[in-house]
């Protein structure tokens, strides 16, 4: 009885969060990630470079005593480099208890996108790393690319 | 996701019950516990577990517990005994394993294993109970007695001697402790503190034995217990003393809360150092403020120590698992083995213990499987038929030393050399110093055992053991002598969370060198660094040291190309190897709180973790072992 109760609690929680997405901008493109991964949004903090990492891993930051890695969304998406400015911010995400920050140009809003609004990317979408994308949705006349947060943040191979 | 608190309480209670049950049956196996007492205690535990699991709706567990309860009640009330005690215990351990797996699955919200699997074991336990009722044996029984004396009578040793003499008229006195009561006046103190222990054999009933002590006015309290034939007084006393030590009041605390507390205290330390180093405070000559800061820093250090000690756990439960592994293997492989454990009360950081358990199990498996010979072989060598495994732990400075030792056949040098040669690890047997031969067994893929058994030879070698020990900052050594045995010694730091470190500057970035690995620091002129084939060396006091250029290593820049009159060298050691770190500057020396690097990052060779500085910046902690490894 307790077991079922527990599962139903989890389900409820996930149900409420399922269709909500955080929309942000990199270059001129809008992207969305599921809100359930997002812990908070912060301004840019001093980044400490870590040797021997993928290029898009900019380093680590000190978030109130927690050490978390930050990755540059521009570089992860193979877009041209740009200086960070006052609109640049870091989306702190949590996946399976791993915290990581994503540096984006700016965050725009939280929006509800239903599953049937999301359509798959066309096969011939060149120069796009298909692993990252769940699909594309139209939101207030804008096209939003839905990111798969897990593959986007986690490197291909993790040292545990 | 937030787990239900009821659920968490259930899990932690169930885990505790299962480990207590395991302990009961292992002690029973060793003859340190009387079957009746064990059954009564286990029954109580199964009953509690049945109740709480039924309440939480975990029917499989409660059904299994219910059935065991029936069996045990039958044993208690009808006096039925298992025909083969060893088999009974092994089956009980299997059952306990099943419960452990069930509880773990429930904890991780996974589908638990099917209860059908355990039916067979339950049936075996049931049928193993002999039909014959316990014979009310007219044979002699063995009793252990503990006497406490009234205070203020003094000369306790002689009084105890009197009692023994008197007892001898009526019963068969087997032994007593302390044993040197006639000659040693100091034994009097021991009796005052712990009491006087006597082991007797007699046809008398318990009550009648108690009556024998009525003549002695100074006896304050008598505890008498019927024990099995095998039970020894010394063992019982040590377990009694352990028990009195562990009566501290305990509460269950979520480990995350403790970790958070330690994090917070770490931040208090950092913030405090920021206050002290603040320029307005620094220029203030007010001495009363200085006194306050001194007091404050003492308090903070103490606070830190208390918080750290909260994470410390005794090694006893780990050692218990090792003991259990050995008992099971010894039954399966038909090799009688005695396990000797010392220092199980030694405490270690919980996280370290978790990382150590698997390597230790691996080592005891090796000891029983490869180390200890078969019965026949041992007899031929003139050894006792029963092998011995010694497991010990002790504190030594800021380290804990754990050793696993067997009195088996020892490592075979020739075989190791041959294997190393085949694998191309050495080019000729002369290539290696005598002392280093055994070190070869820590190389990847190195196993001297040809055939795979149930317990080893599945490709997991000692290299994995070495790696996991190194991962927690430990070191492992091996000693062995032919036909005398093998000893593995593991040295690990008490805790990983806090160290004294030297802050250094490498290309404008701050790094921490653990103070424990620094031998000395010195200035180096450019011409003192010898560059041979791009590999830099320094020559110092007749010894040549390799140079580790941290600039080059982490930032791809060669420090030697910097136009500087001199460089800074830090001679570091890991106890075996030495090297000189080349750095730009030394900053200061301070206590640092260690944090691990996020797991998502790739591991960086030479960096073991990081810490936060007073400024809020991050500094990397150097992994000296990895830097010296070439």
């Amino acid at each position: 009885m307790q077991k079922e109760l527990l599962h139903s609690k989890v389900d409820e929680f996930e149900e409420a969060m399922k269709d909500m997405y955080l929309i942000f901008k990199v270059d001129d493109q809008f992207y969305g990630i599921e809100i359930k991964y997002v812990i908070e949004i912060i301004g840019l903090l001093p980044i400490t470079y870590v040797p021997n990492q993928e290029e898009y891993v900019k380093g680590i930051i000190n978030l109130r005593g927690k050490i978390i890695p930050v990755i540059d969304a521009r570089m992860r998406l193979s877009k041209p480099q740009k200086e960070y400015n006052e609109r640049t911010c870091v989306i702190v995400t949590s996946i399976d208890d791993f915290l990581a920050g994503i540096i984006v140009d700016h965050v725009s809003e939280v929006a509800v996108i239903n599953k049937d609004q999301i359509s798959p990317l066309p096969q011939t979408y060149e120069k796009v790393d298909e692993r990252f994308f769940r699909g594309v949705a139209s939101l207030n006349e804008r096209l939003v690319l839905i990111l798969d947060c897990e593959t986007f943040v986690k490197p291909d191979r993790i040292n545990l | 996701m937030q787990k239900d608190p009821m659920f968490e309480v259930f899990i932690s209670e169930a885990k505790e019950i299962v480990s207590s049950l395991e302990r009961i049956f292992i002690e029973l196996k060793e003859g340190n516990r009387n079957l009746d007492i064990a059954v009564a205690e286990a029954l109580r535990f199964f009953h509690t577990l049945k109740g709480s699991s039924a309440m939480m709706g975990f029917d499989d567990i409660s059904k299994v517990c219910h059935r065991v309860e029936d069996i045990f009640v039958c044993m208690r009330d009808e006096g039925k005994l298992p025909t083969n005690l060893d088999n009974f215990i092994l089956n009980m351990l299997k059952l306990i394993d099943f419960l452990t797996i069930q509880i773990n699955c429930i904890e991780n919200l996974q589908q638990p294993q099917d209860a059908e699997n355990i039916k067979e074991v339950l049936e075996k336990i049931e049928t193993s109970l002999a039909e014959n009722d316990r014979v009310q044996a007219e044979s002699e029984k063995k009793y252990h007695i503990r006497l406490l004396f009234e205070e203020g009578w003094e000369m306790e040793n002689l009084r105890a001697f009197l009692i023994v003499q008197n007892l001898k008229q009526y019963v068969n006195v087997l032994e007593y402790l302390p044993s040197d009561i006639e000659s040693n006046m100091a034994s009097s103190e021991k009796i005052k503190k712990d009491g006087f222990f006597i082991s007797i054999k007699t046809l008398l009933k318990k009550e009648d034995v108690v009556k024998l002590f009525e003549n002695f006015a100074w006896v304050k309290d008598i505890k008498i217990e019927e024990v099995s034939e095998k039970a020894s007084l010394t063992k019982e006393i040590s377990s009694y003393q352990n028990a009195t030590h562990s009566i501290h009041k305990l509460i269950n605390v979520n480990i995350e809360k403790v970790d958070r507390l330690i994090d917070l205290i770490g931040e208090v330390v950092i913030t405090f150092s920021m206050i002290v180093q603040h320029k307005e405070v620094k220029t203030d000559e007010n001495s009363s403020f200085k006194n306050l800061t001194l007091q404050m820093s003492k308090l903070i250090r103490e606070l830190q120590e208390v918080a750290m000690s909260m994470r410390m756990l005794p090694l006893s439960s780990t050692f218990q698992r090792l003991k259990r592994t050995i008992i099971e293997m010894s039954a399966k492989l038909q090799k009688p083995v005695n396990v000797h454990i010392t220092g199980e009360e030694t405490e270690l950081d919980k996280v370290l213990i978790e990382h150590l358990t698997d390597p230790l199990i691996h080592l005891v498996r090796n000891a029983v499987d490869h180390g200890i010979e078969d019965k026949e072989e041992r007899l031929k060598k003139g050894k006792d038929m029963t092998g011995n495994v010694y497991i010990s732990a002790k504190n030594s400075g800021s380290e804990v030393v754990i050793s696993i030792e067997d009195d088996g056949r020892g490592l075979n040098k020739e075989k190791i050399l041959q294997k190393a040669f085949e694998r191309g690890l050495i080019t000729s047997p002369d290539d290696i110093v005598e002392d280093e031969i055994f070190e070869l067994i820590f190389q990847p893929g190195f196993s001297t055992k040809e055939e795979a058994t149930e317990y080893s030879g599945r490709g997991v070698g000692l290299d994995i053991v070495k790696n996991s020990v190194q991962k927690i900052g430990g070191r492992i050594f091996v000693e062995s002598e032919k036909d005398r045995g093998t000893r593995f010694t593991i040295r690990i730091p008490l805790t990983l969370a806090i160290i004294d470190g030297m802050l250094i500057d490498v290309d404008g970035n701050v790094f921490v060198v653990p103070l424990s690995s620094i031998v000395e620091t010195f200035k180096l002129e450019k011409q003192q660094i010898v560059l041979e084939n791009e590999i830099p060396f320094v020559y110092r006091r007749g010894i040549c040291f390799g140079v580790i250029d941290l600039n080059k290593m982490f930032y791809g820049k060669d420090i030697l190309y910097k136009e500087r009159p001199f460089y800074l060298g830090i001679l570091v050691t890991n106890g075996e190897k030495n090297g000189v770190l080349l750095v730009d500057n030394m900053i200061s020396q301070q206590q640092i709180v260690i944090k691990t690097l996020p797991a998502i990052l790739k591991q960086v060779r030479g960096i073991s973790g990081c810490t936060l500085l007073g400024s809020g910046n991050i500094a990397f902690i150097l992994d000296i072992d990895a830097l010296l490894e070439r």
Side-chain angles (χ1 to χ4, degrees):
Chain A
M1 171 203 81
Q2 189 70 30
K3 232 183 325 184
E4 283 148 25
L5 212 100
L6 210 75
H7 286 306
S8 70
K9 254 189 205 169
V10 178
D11 292 346
E12 249 173 61
F13 176 72
E14 300 215 324
E15 193 64 44
M17 305 283 267
K18 210 175 67 187
D19 290 337
M20 286 166 86
Y21 289 81
L22 178 71
I23 313 293
F24 59 87
K25 209 172 163 187
V26 178
D27 240 10
D28 289 325
Q29 179 59 52
F30 288 95
Y31 296 89
I33 57 172
E34 278 177 82
I35 202 88
K36 70 170 180 189
Y37 295 117
V38 179
I39 303 285
E40 64 179 303
I41 298 155
I42 54 173
L44 208 56
L45 293 170
I47 299 174
T48 305
Y49 165 79
V50 185
N52 185 33
Q53 303 299 317
E54 304 284 354
E55 217 181 340
Y56 63 84
V57 178
K58 298 303 273 190
I60 49 181
I61 57 171
N62 165 17
L63 180 70
R64 294 184 303 276
K66 282 209 172 76
I67 311 277
I68 66 172
V70 283
I71 67 173
D72 187 314
R74 270 181 177 272
M75 298 190 77
R76 187 70 161 142
L77 293 165
S78 316
K79 295 195 181 277
Q81 285 273 65
K82 205 184 109 187
E83 288 274 309
Y84 296 145
N85 58 32
E86 69 280 359
R87 299 192 74 180
T88 308
C89 50
V90 179
I91 303 172
V92 182
T93 61
S94 164
I95 300 162
D96 305 337
D97 290 336
F98 291 121
L99 293 180
I102 308 173
I103 305 171
V104 300
D105 285 359
H106 86 264
V107 173
S108 75
E109 77 219 74
V110 174
V112 175
I113 302 175
N114 289 321
K115 233 192 194 120
D116 47 13
Q117 281 176 269
I118 302 175
S119 36
L121 286 184
Q123 292 284 323
T124 51
Y125 212 163
E126 261 180 59
K127 273 180 115 184
V128 163
D129 202 335
E130 285 172 27
R131 293 172 306 145
F132 294 158
F133 299 105
R134 294 242 186 101
V136 60
S138 170
L139 191 73
N140 308 332
E141 322 240 318
R142 293 175 318 204
L143 276 187
V144 175
L145 290 171
I146 307 296
L147 284 176
D148 184 302
C149 193
E150 298 201 20
T151 44
F152 190 73
V153 170
K154 278 189 184 176
D156 304 333
R157 203 176 57 81
I158 304 177
N159 299 306
L160 288 178
Chain B
M1 183 200 68
Q2 200 67 40
K3 278 182 189 154
D4 189 319
M6 275 286 282
F7 180 78
E8 280 190 16
V9 169
F10 167 73
I11 294 289
S12 93
E13 186 193 70
K15 279 183 172 171
E16 224 165 89
I17 287 178
V18 171
S19 82
S20 305
L21 283 170
E22 193 175 37
R23 199 187 61 237
I24 290 173
F25 287 101
I26 287 175
E27 284 179 9
L28 181 63
K29 161 86 187 168
E30 294 190 314
N32 286 343
R33 204 175 265 262
N34 170 296
L35 180 65
D36 287 342
I37 297 174
V39 166
E41 268 188 78
L43 182 59
R44 225 176 39 233
F45 281 124
F46 277 115
H47 184 77
T48 315
L49 186 58
K50 180 181 90 169
S52 57
S53 55
M55 194 178 76
M56 299 294 288
F58 302 125
D59 296 333
D60 280 352
I61 297 182
S62 73
K63 268 186 212 149
V64 170
C65 290
H66 183 73
R67 189 134 169 227
V68 179
E69 227 183 309
D70 283 348
I71 298 173
F72 277 32
V73 166
C74 185
M75 289 173 79
R76 187 188 62 187
D77 298 345
E78 293 172 31
K80 282 189 180 169
L81 287 174
T83 41
N84 181 333
L85 190 62
D86 282 358
N87 273 341
F88 171 75
I89 291 169
L90 284 177
N91 279 327
M92 283 311 299
L93 289 177
K94 271 187 206 158
L95 186 86
I96 290 164
D97 274 347
F98 167 78
L99 291 174
T100 312
I101 295 169
Q102 288 269 327
I103 292 162
N104 285 341
C105 288
I106 290 169
E107 185 183 19
N108 300 321
L109 300 177
Q110 289 163 352
Q111 187 60 37
Q113 196 192 89
D114 198 4
E116 288 294 314
N117 298 343
I118 203 66
K119 261 197 172 150
E120 203 184 320
V121 175
L122 275 166
E123 270 159 22
K124 271 190 197 156
I125 296 172
E126 219 161 15
T127 52
S128 77
L129 296 185
E131 283 307 313
N132 61 317
D133 289 24
R134 193 180 302 200
V135 198
Q136 283 298 327
E138 276 300 310
S139 57
E140 290 194 320
K141 286 181 202 127
K142 194 173 168 184
Y143 295 105
H144 281 175
I145 302 164
R146 174 168 169 247
L147 299 175
L148 287 180
F149 290 6
E150 293 278 359
E151 275 156 48
W153 287 71
E154 298 305 324
M155 308 262 277
E156 276 76 4
N157 54 332
L158 294 181
R159 292 175 198 283
F161 184 66
L162 257 169
I163 291 178
V164 172
Q165 292 308 318
N166 193 291
L167 271 182
K168 277 182 179 166
Q169 298 172 25
Y170 307 99
V171 301
N172 183 5
V173 177
L174 297 173
E175 57 173 331
Y176 47 86
L177 283 171
S179 54
D180 49 358
I181 41 175
E182 306 100 286
S183 51
N184 187 356
M185 295 300 282
S187 58
S188 163
E189 287 306 311
K190 263 193 206 157
I191 297 174
K192 266 192 216 168
K193 208 173 119 235
D194 298 328
F196 183 57
F197 297 85
I198 317 169
S199 171
I200 57 165
K201 222 173 183 180
T202 177
L203 284 170
L204 292 175
K205 279 192 195 139
K206 237 187 216 176
E207 305 84 72
D208 296 328
V209 177
V210 175
K211 279 189 191 138
L212 293 178
F213 295 97
E214 278 173 359
N215 300 330
F216 304 102
W218 59 81
V219 174
K220 182 170 74 177
D221 184 37
I222 306 169
K223 268 210 184 94
I224 179 163
E225 198 180 314
E226 192 187 328
V227 293
S228 71
E229 199 59 33
K230 274 204 270 177
S232 110
L233 202 51
T234 341
K235 270 188 183 167
E236 186 185 311
I237 290 172
S238 66
S239 74
Y240 153 77
Q241 280 165 343
N242 281 346
T244 47
H245 285 309
S246 61
I247 310 183
H248 303 303
K249 284 188 179 151
L250 297 175
I251 57 164
N252 275 333
V253 181
N254 188 329
I255 182 81
E256 279 163 28
K257 285 186 188 169
V258 177
D259 284 347
R260 183 78 196 116
L261 179 69
I262 288 166
D263 273 355
L264 281 173
I265 292 171
E267 270 172 66
V268 171
V269 173
I270 291 162
T271 318
F272 183 69
S273 75
M274 282 163 79
I275 294 175
V276 176
Q277 281 163 23
H278 198 278
K279 57 180 186 297
E280 280 173 39
V281 172
K282 251 186 169 171
T283 49
D284 183 15
E285 288 305 313
N286 189 341
S287 67
S288 76
F289 181 80
K290 283 215 170 105
N291 269 339
L292 279 177
T293 54
L294 203 66
Q295 219 170 334
M296 187 79 187
S297 73
K298 268 188 200 160
L299 281 175
I300 290 176
R301 200 175 255 257
E302 204 170 317
L303 196 61
Q304 212 165 27
E305 272 165 24
V306 172
M308 293 313 307
S309 73
M310 284 165 71
R311 286 167 57 111
M312 306 284 269
L313 284 179
L315 280 162
S316 45
S317 67
T318 310
F319 280 8
Q320 192 186 314
R321 272 190 71 186
L322 300 181
K323 199 195 265 179
R324 186 186 155 172
T325 310
I326 296 174
I327 288 173
E328 280 181 339
M329 280 183 76
S330 129
K332 267 216 180 105
L333 299 172
Q334 303 270 317
K335 283 183 191 173
V337 179
N338 279 337
V339 192
H340 309 266
I341 286 183
T342 47
E344 57 182 336
E345 69 286 347
T346 312
E347 288 191 331
L348 202 58
D349 193 296
K350 182 185 183 300
V351 180
L352 296 188
I353 290 183
E354 277 166 12
H355 280 90
L356 259 182
T357 311
D358 283 342
L360 288 176
I361 286 180
H362 192 96
L363 291 178
V364 299
R365 280 186 175 162
N366 271 353
V368 180
D369 201 12
H370 309 266
I372 289 171
E373 310 92 333
D374 293 327
K375 277 182 262 182
E376 297 76 25
E377 204 179 329
R378 285 186 74 88
L379 289 173
K380 240 184 256 168
K381 285 179 184 169
K383 290 184 185 178
D384 194 72
M385 196 177 81
T386 309
N388 291 291
V389 176
Y390 303 87
I391 304 171
S392 81
K394 63 167 193 258
N395 282 310
S396 150
S398 62
E399 283 182 317
V400 168
V401 182
I402 299 175
S403 77
I404 308 273
E405 186 179 352
D406 65 68
D407 64 349
R409 58 170 72 93
L411 294 171
N412 186 332
K413 273 187 198 172
E414 291 75 36
K415 228 174 174 181
I416 294 173
L417 281 175
Q418 195 199 331
K419 198 102 181 186
F421 182 67
E422 279 167 23
R423 292 185 186 262
L425 296 171
I426 50 171
T427 45
S428 88
D430 309 325
D431 212 24
I432 189 157
V433 198
E434 185 82 11
D435 293 349
E436 288 175 359
I437 295 176
F438 295 141
E439 297 293 319
L440 286 169
I441 59 172
F442 293 117
Q443 295 292 329
F446 204 96
S447 169
T448 46
K449 182 99 175 175
E450 297 301 326
E451 71 273 30
T453 69
E454 185 187 345
Y455 294 108
S456 47
R458 279 176 295 195
V460 183
L462 284 167
D463 54 318
I464 309 280
V465 172
K466 187 176 187 178
N467 278 345
S468 23
V469 169
Q470 279 179 341
K471 221 178 246 173
I472 52 172
R475 290 167 289 153
I476 182 165
F477 308 97
V478 57
E479 297 154 84
S480 184
E481 201 176 322
K482 192 166 190 293
D483 290 336
R484 295 291 296 276
T486 309
R487 172 163 60 211
F488 286 93
T489 312
I490 299 177
R491 307 181 73 96
I492 11 180
L494 265 182
T495 171
L496 276 186
I498 208 153
I499 58 164
D500 279 310
M502 163 105 65
L503 305 191
I504 56 164
D505 173 7
V506 177
D507 200 35
N509 301 282
V510 183
F511 284 80
V512 180
V513 189
L515 217 53
S516 56
S517 54
I518 297 181
V519 181
E520 59 170 338
T521 59
F522 45 84
K523 279 182 186 172
L524 268 178
E525 310 280 340
K526 193 166 186 169
Q527 58 268 28
Q528 282 179 288
I529 302 168
V530 186
L531 256 182
E532 175 59 39
N533 256 341
E534 303 279 299
I535 299 166
F537 289 103
V538 291
Y539 187 71
R540 208 174 152 73
R541 293 199 200 107
I543 306 168
C544 205
F545 296 107
V547 168
I548 301 151
D549 187 345
L550 295 174
N551 270 272
K552 196 172 183 177
M553 182 137 192
F554 296 128
Y555 303 107
K557 296 175 194 164
D558 214 327
I559 195 174
L560 294 175
Y561 293 116
K562 284 189 185 170
E563 286 305 317
R564 294 182 58 141
F566 63 84
Y567 306 91
L568 211 57
I570 301 178
L571 180 57
V572 290
T573 180
N574 66 355
E576 293 163 43
K577 292 178 184 163
N578 303 303
V580 172
L581 303 180
L582 218 52
V583 305
D584 287 325
N585 221 336
M586 288 198 300
I587 303 167
S588 67
Q589 190 179 313
Q590 70 179 65
Q591 244 198 353
I592 58 154
V593 182
I594 300 183
K595 291 177 182 272
T596 49
L597 282 177
I600 290 183
L601 294 179
K602 279 193 211 168
Q603 260 178 26
V604 190
R605 210 186 121 213
I607 292 178
S608 61
C610 60
T611 188
L612 293 177
L613 300 174
S615 57
N617 287 342
I618 300 167
F620 292 112
I621 299 160
L622 293 178
D623 180 348
I624 300 299
D625 264 316
L627 286 173
L628 294 175
E629 203 76 46
R630 279 173 189 261

